[in-house]
Amino acid sequence: MQACTAMAFNLRRKTEFLVALADYSIKCFDTNTKELVSWMRGHDSSVSSISVHGSGRYAITTSTDTAQLWDLDTFQRKRKLNVRQSVGIQKVFFLPLSNTILSCFKDNSIFAWECDTLQCKYQLPTPIEGSMLHYKVFAVTRDGRVLITGGKSNHLHMWCLESKQLLRIIQMPTKVRAVRHLEFLPDSFDGGSNQVLGVLSQDNIMRFINIQTCKLLFDIGSHEDGISTAAISPNGRYIASIMENGSLSIYSVQALTQEVNKPPPPLVKVVEDLSKSKLGASNLTMRVTSGRWERAWKSKGNKTQTRVLKPQVNSSLENKENELPDGLNKKRLQALLKGFGEYPAKYRMFVWRALLQLPENHLAFSSLIDKGIHSAFVHLQDDYPMKSRKLLRVLQRTLSALAHWSAIFGETPYIPLLAFPFVKLFQNNQLICFEVVATVIVNWCQHWFEYFPNPPVNILSMVENILAHQDKELLQHLINYNVTSQLYAWPLLETLFSEVLTREEWLKVFDNIFSNHPSYLLMMVAAYIVCSRAPLLHCHQTEDFEYFFHHRNNLDINVVIKEAYHFMEATPADIHPQHMLEDFIPLTKGQYPIFNKYPKFIVDYQTQERERIRQDEIEYLRERQLVHEIEAKALQRKVDDEAWYRKQELLCEAEEQRRKILMQEEEKLAVQRQRLVAVKRELKVKELQLLDAARRRFLRYQQDQRQMELKRLDDEIARKVSMRERETAATLQDVEVRQMELESQRQLFEQQLVKDQETMTQEVKGEIDASRRKADLEEHLVQRLIENDQDGECKAQLLAEESLAKADQKCIDTDWRIQALHKQRCDDLDREAYYEEIAKLLHDNRVKEAELLKAMKEEENKRWEKVTEKSAQLEAEQLAAAALDAQRKQFLEDEMNDAIELAEKLQSEDGYFERLRDLKTGCVQQDLKFQQVHGEAQPKSGYVCLNDLSTEESSARFSLDRRREDLECRERQLMAEVRELRQKLTSQARAAYPLPHFPDTKWTT
């Protein structure tokens, strides 16, 4: 079972409702089938509210960190609203009669969203300064126009959602410090604009006010009987409220408002009439009315008790004893307890811890817990079965800690019964639980263990003495039917009244027990017996008495408590337990006190006996286990033997059956062999027939293969003939191209020779002009000399030597020029010889080319002769198909013509001749450059150095050799390019015109 954190109804399917659980999930149940319809997950914290759309199709679940929109038809999540962790979501809900979602955050911001598009429609403005409050609760009228918000203040903010403005701030009475819940009271005649608002505040009172007039109409609940939560029916007729004590109260709105609906008196008297109407209305609700008047009567009756709470001047020692931890006073608590009968449930545990003065020794308790589960309580579940595993575990730990604290508690059989109510009450704090039980044992269970293992006869005798003093008749009645104190007093003591009282009654009783002397417990036992006097006097059987003291009875516990107080005061001192029992002594701090008020030898003896019995049991179990194993082995051996004999018998039977089966099989085998011989004979005959058929089929296959081979050979011959014709045509084209190349080369060489001859003529003319100019210069010099001789005879002698020197120099110059001319003439002769050698080489090259052309023509003629012979042979072999061969030959000739035309076209388009022309032009240009360089090497002036003669001769020889090598290299290059061009043309012709494939069929006329 899990706790429910929110619920929602009014779905589209009216039989379904949503429940938010503590594991952060939302479940949908069907009320008719009582089954789970769907399970929705997605939240990471507990769901605080669920809001369902007016159509019942959508729902919004809200937690502190997110709000999620769900489609209730498919139970799938549509959208998710995430916020920062520092902000947090307060509540998200649908507005009535609209398609708007209102989201309220913890920073007091309120946003409105469109349900379909989830777009923000508007945001309410921030309230004015001084009116800020932390919004916690919200309420909206049925028409969705007005929003009321409240929080940790007595102010309420009233918002108009149409104008998005704060209409007014409503101030509640000063008693209201915080608002816990807001809800409008529906009215059938207000058109949805609700006017009455219910406000549940921190004082657990729900006040209903008119939001327009701001008047208090009526309220429900009180300080003594407060309201925890409330809900109003959809028709506005009833108010259901869950009270602080767990009860459910239903209020009639008509009865609460009967005085309000009268014509209003003057304004000054409205509050008085409403207060009176409140009292009158409360009379209709019996629970509320009786509770109020009873509380008021008690307050009046307790006026005399207030004097007891005043401290006396000479009671300093008594005050010191009555002072409790945390600022409490025992005398004042006792006075409060006598006035109200019990401590407030909210502060009961705090008061108990103060009264018992618990030391809270964490280390000591941890050392006891660390010792583990005591052996005496390992099988506690077998003796005291419980549904709650947690409660059983806490009870085991508490009892084990008690047993480790003192050995007597591990041997006492009623310790679980004594500790159980405290364990159930303090199961969430095991330390407090242990110390409360230990304090009860030390103080209220004094002298209980002196007669162990028997019940405490001394304590029971005290109860019997009290009973004898207070009601002798009842005691005599019990003695007459042999009912001892072990039957009527001990069950109440060993269970501490937990079997005969309810939880509330038990808590009230122990409020009084912990607030008084330990002897008050015995007085409670005697008071319980005396208050049960009437039913006990009607009991005459022992079983009836036992049942009475082990089950709950119809008894007013307040009367029992008062009777116990009466016994405390009226019991004589000689039989009063107060003089026999010690006062309250709290547990010591740091370490728990030693508890040894029991017959140790008996406990030790029982412990030893228990240990011996346990060892005997272990030995017995071990021996029994060994015997069981031996028996199991013997039984297994017996079973194995029987199985083996049974198996042998089955084997013998199976062997006999197999012998019979073998004999039958041999007879069948002989018959089958005879049949097999006959079948083999038939198969042999069929095999011979199949072999004959296969042989004939193979002969036919061989004939077909030979015919196909002949056809393939014919096709291959035709293909080769066409290929050879194409190769011949390509060769012819190559020869023509070669002839054209040779002719172009011859013309280029002739042009080069003409250019060389013209160059030589120009050089000779230049030399002649130079020699002529030299002769004219010499003649001019001689003439000038003669003129000088004639003009200056007087200077002849002076200039004779100079003239002679000049004449000698001129002779030297003349000789040098003569040598230069001779050298030049030799160079001209060498150049002529070089030209003749080149011409001879050209002639030889022409002769070789002619021979090559002649050889190629002869080879061509031979091949054509072979082709003619093969064609004649083919014509002789295909004489039967002459017409077909003629057509095929015509077809092949057409194809050859097309191929030749294509080759010529490709030849004309190809850049080969441009390449050849460029090469030839390059050769001529190189020759011209060589001649120019050679011409420039000659001296342009008349002054030539004699040392340059040997260098020119060697360079001329070297240039001739290099030129010869260049010619040979060019010739080889030209031949290689011719072959490449031939191959290129052939491949292009084959690619453009592939050989035709002739089918096996023949042409027919």
Coordinates of all heavy atoms in Angstrom, one line a residue, residues 11 27 100 105 153 262 417 713 725 749 763 780 857 912 990 995:
L11 N -13.7 12.9 -15.0 CA -13.1 12.6 -16.3 C -14.2 12.4 -17.4 O -15.4 12.4 -17.0 CB -12.3 11.3 -16.2 CG -10.8 11.5 -15.7 CD1 -10.8 12.0 -14.2 CD2 -10.0 10.2 -15.8
K27 N -2.1 6.9 -11.3 CA -2.8 5.7 -11.8 C -4.3 6.1 -12.0 O -4.8 6.9 -11.3 CB -2.7 4.6 -10.8 CG -1.3 4.0 -10.6 CD -1.3 2.8 -9.7 CE 0.1 2.2 -9.5 NZ 0.1 1.0 -8.6
T100 N -8.2 27.9 -20.8 CA -7.0 28.6 -20.3 C -6.4 27.8 -19.1 O -7.2 27.2 -18.3 CB -7.3 30.0 -19.8 OG1 -7.9 30.7 -20.9 CG2 -6.1 30.7 -19.3
F105 N 3.6 30.3 -9.5 CA 4.9 29.9 -9.1 C 5.2 30.5 -7.7 O 4.4 31.3 -7.1 CB 5.9 30.5 -10.1 CG 5.7 30.0 -11.5 CD1 5.0 30.7 -12.4 CD2 6.3 28.7 -11.9 CE1 4.8 30.2 -13.6 CE2 6.1 28.3 -13.1 CZ 5.3 29.0 -14.0
S153 N -0.3 34.9 5.5 CA -0.7 36.2 6.0 C -2.2 36.1 6.2 O -2.9 35.1 5.8 CB -0.3 37.2 4.9 OG -0.9 38.5 5.3
K262 N -32.0 35.6 6.4 CA -33.1 36.5 6.8 C -32.8 37.9 6.4 O -31.6 38.3 6.1 CB -33.3 36.4 8.4 CG -33.8 35.1 8.9 CD -34.0 35.1 10.4 CE -34.5 33.8 10.9 NZ -34.7 33.8 12.3
L417 N 5.3 -9.0 24.8 CA 4.0 -8.4 25.1 C 4.1 -7.0 25.7 O 3.4 -6.1 25.4 CB 3.1 -9.3 25.9 CG 2.9 -10.7 25.3 CD1 2.1 -11.5 26.3 CD2 2.1 -10.5 24.0
L713 N 34.7 -22.6 -89.2 CA 35.9 -22.4 -90.0 C 35.6 -21.5 -91.2 O 36.4 -20.6 -91.6 CB 36.4 -23.8 -90.5 CG 37.0 -24.7 -89.4 CD1 37.3 -26.1 -90.0 CD2 38.2 -24.1 -88.8
E725 N 42.6 -8.0 -96.5 CA 42.3 -7.0 -97.4 C 42.5 -5.6 -96.8 O 43.0 -4.7 -97.4 CB 40.9 -7.2 -98.0 CG 40.8 -8.4 -98.9 CD 39.4 -8.6 -99.4 OE1 38.5 -7.9 -98.9 OE2 39.1 -9.5 -100.2
F749 N 65.3 19.7 -99.4 CA 66.8 19.7 -99.6 C 67.2 20.6 -100.8 O 68.3 21.3 -100.7 CB 67.3 18.3 -99.8 CG 67.4 17.5 -98.5 CD1 67.0 16.2 -98.5 CD2 67.8 18.1 -97.4 CE1 67.0 15.5 -97.3 CE2 67.9 17.4 -96.2 CZ 67.5 16.1 -96.1
E763 N 78.9 36.0 -100.2 CA 80.2 36.0 -99.5 C 81.3 36.4 -100.4 O 82.2 37.2 -100.1 CB 80.4 34.7 -98.8 CG 79.5 34.5 -97.6 CD 79.8 33.1 -96.9 OE1 80.6 32.4 -97.5 OE2 79.1 32.8 -95.9
H780 N 95.7 55.2 -102.8 CA 95.5 56.6 -102.3 C 96.7 56.9 -101.4 O 97.2 58.1 -101.4 CB 94.2 56.6 -101.5 CG 94.0 58.0 -100.8 ND1 93.7 59.1 -101.5 CD2 94.1 58.3 -99.5 CE1 93.6 60.1 -100.7 NE2 93.8 59.7 -99.4
K857 N 57.1 -2.6 -103.2 CA 56.3 -3.0 -104.3 C 56.3 -4.4 -104.6 O 55.3 -5.1 -104.9 CB 56.6 -2.1 -105.5 CG 56.3 -0.7 -105.4 CD 56.6 0.1 -106.7 CE 56.2 1.6 -106.5 NZ 56.6 2.4 -107.8
Y912 N 49.5 15.1 -88.9 CA 50.8 14.5 -89.1 C 51.6 15.4 -90.0 O 52.8 15.6 -89.8 CB 50.7 13.1 -89.7 CG 52.0 12.5 -90.2 CD1 52.9 12.0 -89.4 CD2 52.2 12.5 -91.6 CE1 54.1 11.6 -89.8 CE2 53.4 12.0 -92.1 CZ 54.4 11.5 -91.2 OH 55.6 11.0 -91.6
R990 N 39.6 0.0 -88.0 CA 39.0 -1.1 -87.4 C 37.9 -0.7 -86.4 O 36.8 -1.4 -86.3 CB 40.0 -2.0 -86.7 CG 40.9 -2.7 -87.7 CD 42.0 -3.5 -86.9 NE 42.9 -4.2 -87.8 CZ 43.9 -4.9 -87.5 NH1 44.2 -5.0 -86.2 NH2 44.7 -5.5 -88.4
L995 N 34.3 -5.8 -88.3 CA 34.0 -6.8 -89.3 C 32.5 -7.2 -89.1 O 32.1 -7.5 -88.0 CB 34.9 -8.0 -89.1 CG 36.4 -7.8 -89.4 CD1 37.2 -9.0 -89.1 CD2 36.5 -7.4 -90.9

